[in-house]
Amino acid sequence: MSKAILWKLVIVVGVLALFTWLLYPPEEKIALGLDLQGGSHLVLQVETKAAVKSEVDLAINRIGQGLKEKGITYTSVLSPEGSSDIEVRGTDPVHAADVRDILGTVVPQFTITTSGGDFKVSIPDSIKRQIEATSVDTTLTVLRQRVDELGVKEPIIQRQGAAGDRIVVELPGIQDPDRAKSVLQDQAKLEWTAVAYPPSVGDYESWRPPSTKEATIAMFGGTLPPGVELVPEVYVDPTSGTRTEVWWPLQNVAAVVGNDLRSARRSVDQMQRNIVDFVLSPEAGKRFQAATKENLHKKMAIVLGSSTKKEVISAPVINDVISDRGMIQGRFTLNSAEDLALKLRSGAIPTAVSIIEEHTIGPSLGRDSIHAGVLASILGFVGVGVFMLVYYRLSGVNAVLALLMNVVLVLGAMAYFRATLTLPGIAGLILTVGMAVDSNVLIFERIREELRLGKAVRTAVDQGFSRAFATIIDTHVTTIVSALFLLGYGTGPVKGFAVTLIAGLFCSVFTAVFVSRFIYDLVLGDRRDVESLSI
């Protein structure tokens, strides 16, 4: 055996061993897509217009907190119904400069107008557009964090549509689609807010609000005070299904909001009930300490929701001053406590998100897809192999060996790049086999042509490979360019097809040109007197 053949043998065996090692064990190295293992496909619509309202609500809280820290009294900080403006009412004109400093810190790019002790803050149109544009990016980031917390392997989360305000989420292997939807869709805006007690209430600790809005408003004389809003607390009895609802009057400036959280986790209290422990940032801890000190032996509501819908989780009595650590108590199950902690850790979604498209694929359907895909691949490979053996005789063995190696290389490459195998990906793999054998057909037909011209076997093989090489490269490059467009502009399944096809095309060039040529060299050796070739 010559040195040239020996080096080729080392390269072929080395590449085959490397890619086999990358592939093994395949069930751990290659992740299955949504269509093969089941799961959920969701298309989410990001309500970019609502992002402005969320930004306004956050600014209201920051302004109210800033005024309290400075010791500046005020009547209310609110946004009028249907408006994105912020109004600060009832401050002492003596503190006008301090109020402007607070507004300049919280909303530096907003327009501020003054009338005595009242201030009006307006959002410029350019800032509104900027908030709407960044809301989708922020939502994407939060969704990725939440999906990571769910432990989903190889999820797909990406923008979709010309407007860019839709997000495609694919969760392969998810066992509880309803829970996943709740985790993804819930804005999870958490607030700790002081209760605004009606004038007639004397016992702060035991007071519970009425079950209707009207009755709660009536306790204030028929009109809610400025800066007070009604938020429901709903309880559904797990046994009877009875729904109980009360309406809490709450200050619209929260003491602490979800953005102030540093961490949250599920735990249990002394009665073994599920709770959520939380830790605040140092700055928020100071504010929370001042708020709980101000509301000692009164109730503070823990509110969860969005800019359009809020709900009181619980309204515990503040029995001691709390700084940066506390707990959220409510009627939590194990999963609901885990989910709330997950949402709080990942942060609040900056705007409302709605599900506009949903597909759920069961694991049994995924297994059927795998079975059908594998069967189609095997039948296709066997069919191609039989044709090559019948039509090209012993040279067909050369092609079959190259095809087998091509499949191993493709799967090894997918395992290395952590590509997700989908049903279209299996189709791409089958197409790769066709492309690879097409290269062998070009080479073999060129060798036949050279033999018909009366050339020696060794010369015919050499010229067959060299003259077919340019055509093989040309066909593969054009197909790769097309596949790159599919990869760049396609979504999940289309990308899966493109990834498999591109990997297969590169491997096809190696196996059809280098490996197939090596097999001929190994069989023919250095002999120049070979009289016939089985082709």
Side-chain angles (χ1 to χ4, degrees):
M1 185 183 295
S2 67
K3 282 188 176 181
I5 295 177
L6 183 61
W7 273 113
K8 287 182 180 181
L9 176 63
V10 171
I11 292 173
V12 171
V13 173
V15 169
L16 184 59
L18 173 63
F19 278 78
T20 302
W21 175 75
L22 290 174
L23 176 60
Y24 185 81
E27 62 272 10
E28 294 181 9
K29 296 294 185 67
I30 296 182
L32 299 180
L34 181 69
D35 50 2
L36 295 182
Q37 64 171 310
S40 291
H41 169 93
L42 305 170
V43 179
L44 307 177
Q45 176 72 56
V46 180
E47 307 295 342
T48 55
K49 299 296 182 184
V52 177
K53 180 67 167 60
S54 295
E55 191 72 20
V56 167
D57 289 345
L58 182 59
I60 288 173
N61 279 303
R62 296 301 190 201
I63 293 169
Q65 292 162 0
L67 293 172
K68 286 185 177 181
E69 288 175 5
K70 290 282 188 178
I72 300 173
T73 58
Y74 62 91
T75 304
S76 63
V77 181
L78 51 81
S79 177
E81 188 71 28
S83 171
S84 58
D85 295 335
I86 300 173
E87 295 182 0
V88 182
R89 301 174 183 172
T91 65
D92 190 335
V94 174
H95 299 294
D98 292 330
V99 175
R100 276 192 168 274
D101 286 342
I102 293 170
L103 296 177
T105 301
V106 176
V107 285
Q109 296 176 299
F110 292 12
T111 304
I112 303 171
T113 56
T114 310
S115 176
D118 297 338
F119 294 80
K120 183 178 180 181
V121 182
S122 303
I123 306 179
D125 290 338
S126 59
I127 302 298
K128 287 183 182 179
R129 289 192 294 270
Q130 182 181 344
I131 293 171
E132 292 173 0
T134 57
S135 65
V136 181
D137 294 328
T138 307
T139 301
L140 265 173
T141 301
V142 174
L143 290 180
R144 287 194 179 103
Q145 291 172 343
R146 292 186 180 182
V147 169
D148 288 342
E149 292 272 1
L150 281 173
V152 179
K153 187 178 180 181
E154 304 295 340
I156 293 175
I157 306 171
Q158 60 189 20
R159 298 175 77 151
Q160 183 191 62
D165 56 355
R166 293 183 178 182
I167 299 175
V168 175
V169 180
E170 291 191 356
L171 306 174
I174 195 75
Q175 300 297 318
D176 190 347
D178 291 334
R179 181 190 177 201
K181 286 190 291 184
S182 173
V183 168
L184 293 175
Q185 197 176 5
D186 196 337
Q187 196 170 339
K189 182 180 177 183
L190 198 73
E191 300 175 347
W192 283 260
T193 307
V195 173
Y197 288 97
S200 59
V201 174
D203 186 356
Y204 296 134
E205 295 188 29
S206 61
W207 181 72
R208 290 276 293 175
S211 59
T212 64
K213 283 184 176 182
E214 293 74 16
T216 304
I217 295 173
M219 297 187 74
F220 289 92
T223 305
L224 289 176
V228 175
E229 61 181 343
L230 295 181
V231 180
E233 179 183 7
V234 179
Y235 172 66
V236 179
D237 189 285
T239 305
S240 64
T242 305
R243 188 175 186 273
T244 306
E245 183 178 81
V246 295
W247 289 84
W248 290 91
L250 305 178
Q251 300 286 349
N252 69 339
V253 175
V256 174
V257 295
N259 304 55
D260 295 318
L261 279 169
R262 193 167 63 186
S263 69
R265 65 180 182 86
R266 185 195 66 82
S267 185
V268 293
D269 60 14
Q270 295 177 342
M271 304 295 292
Q272 297 302 302
R273 292 172 298 194
N274 292 299
I275 60 172
V276 176
D277 287 328
F278 65 87
V279 179
L280 300 172
S281 64
E283 179 193 351
K286 294 177 183 177
R287 292 200 308 270
F288 200 42
Q289 186 175 22
T292 52
K293 184 177 182 180
E294 182 183 338
N295 289 278
L296 269 177
H297 307 299
K298 295 181 180 179
K299 292 185 175 183
M300 289 190 72
I302 301 171
V303 182
L304 181 67
S306 64
S307 56
T308 56
K309 182 182 178 181
K310 296 181 179 180
E311 184 176 327
V312 173
I313 297 175
S314 64
V317 176
I318 305 299
N319 292 318
D320 201 357
V321 176
I322 306 171
S323 56
D324 62 341
R325 294 176 181 270
M327 67 176 68
I328 303 172
Q329 294 176 312
R331 302 176 181 92
F332 294 122
T333 63
L334 178 66
N335 278 344
S336 63
E338 288 280 9
D339 289 348
L340 177 58
L342 182 158
K343 296 170 190 174
L344 298 180
R345 284 195 302 269
S346 60
I349 295 175
T351 184
V353 175
S354 57
I355 297 175
I356 60 174
E357 184 181 326
E358 175 187 357
H359 302 295
T360 300
I361 299 173
S364 59
L365 183 59
R367 285 192 296 270
D368 292 342
S369 298
I370 294 174
H371 180 267
V374 171
L375 181 61
S377 301
I378 293 174
L379 291 177
F381 189 91
V382 170
V384 169
V386 169
F387 171 80
M388 296 299 288
L389 291 172
V390 171
Y391 195 73
Y392 291 109
R393 302 176 186 176
L394 288 180
S395 290
V397 176
N398 182 324
V400 171
L401 292 175
L403 286 178
L404 284 171
M405 186 171 180
N406 183 70
V407 173
V408 174
L409 296 188
V410 174
L411 294 177
M414 292 183 66
Y416 176 75
F417 290 108
R418 298 293 180 186
T420 300
L421 183 63
T422 62
L423 202 55
I426 293 177
L429 185 61
I430 298 172
L431 180 59
T432 296
V433 171
M435 292 289 293
V437 81
D438 181 60
S439 300
N440 284 110
V441 169
L442 287 173
I443 294 169
F444 293 169
E445 288 300 321
R446 194 69 191 183
I447 293 173
R448 278 181 166 182
E449 185 178 333
E450 298 296 328
L451 290 173
R452 282 195 294 268
L453 292 175
K455 295 183 179 179
V457 171
R458 191 60 191 243
T459 303
V461 170
D462 291 343
Q463 293 187 356
F465 274 93
S466 62
R467 293 180 178 179
F469 181 75
T471 304
I472 292 171
I473 294 299
D474 180 57
T475 56
H476 280 65
V477 167
T478 53
T479 309
I480 287 174
V481 169
S482 302
L484 287 174
F485 278 99
L486 292 178
L487 185 64
Y489 295 98
T491 55
V494 176
K495 283 191 173 183
F497 174 81
V499 168
T500 309
L501 182 58
I502 291 172
L505 290 169
F506 278 106
C507 295
S508 169
V509 173
F510 176 75
T511 56
V513 175
F514 186 86
V515 175
S516 187
R517 175 63 181 269
F518 161 72
I519 294 174
Y520 273 126
D521 289 343
L522 190 63
V523 172
L524 298 176
D526 296 326
R527 293 178 297 146
R528 292 285 176 180
D529 57 348
V530 180
E531 297 182 358
S532 63
L533 181 67
S534 179
I535 194 169

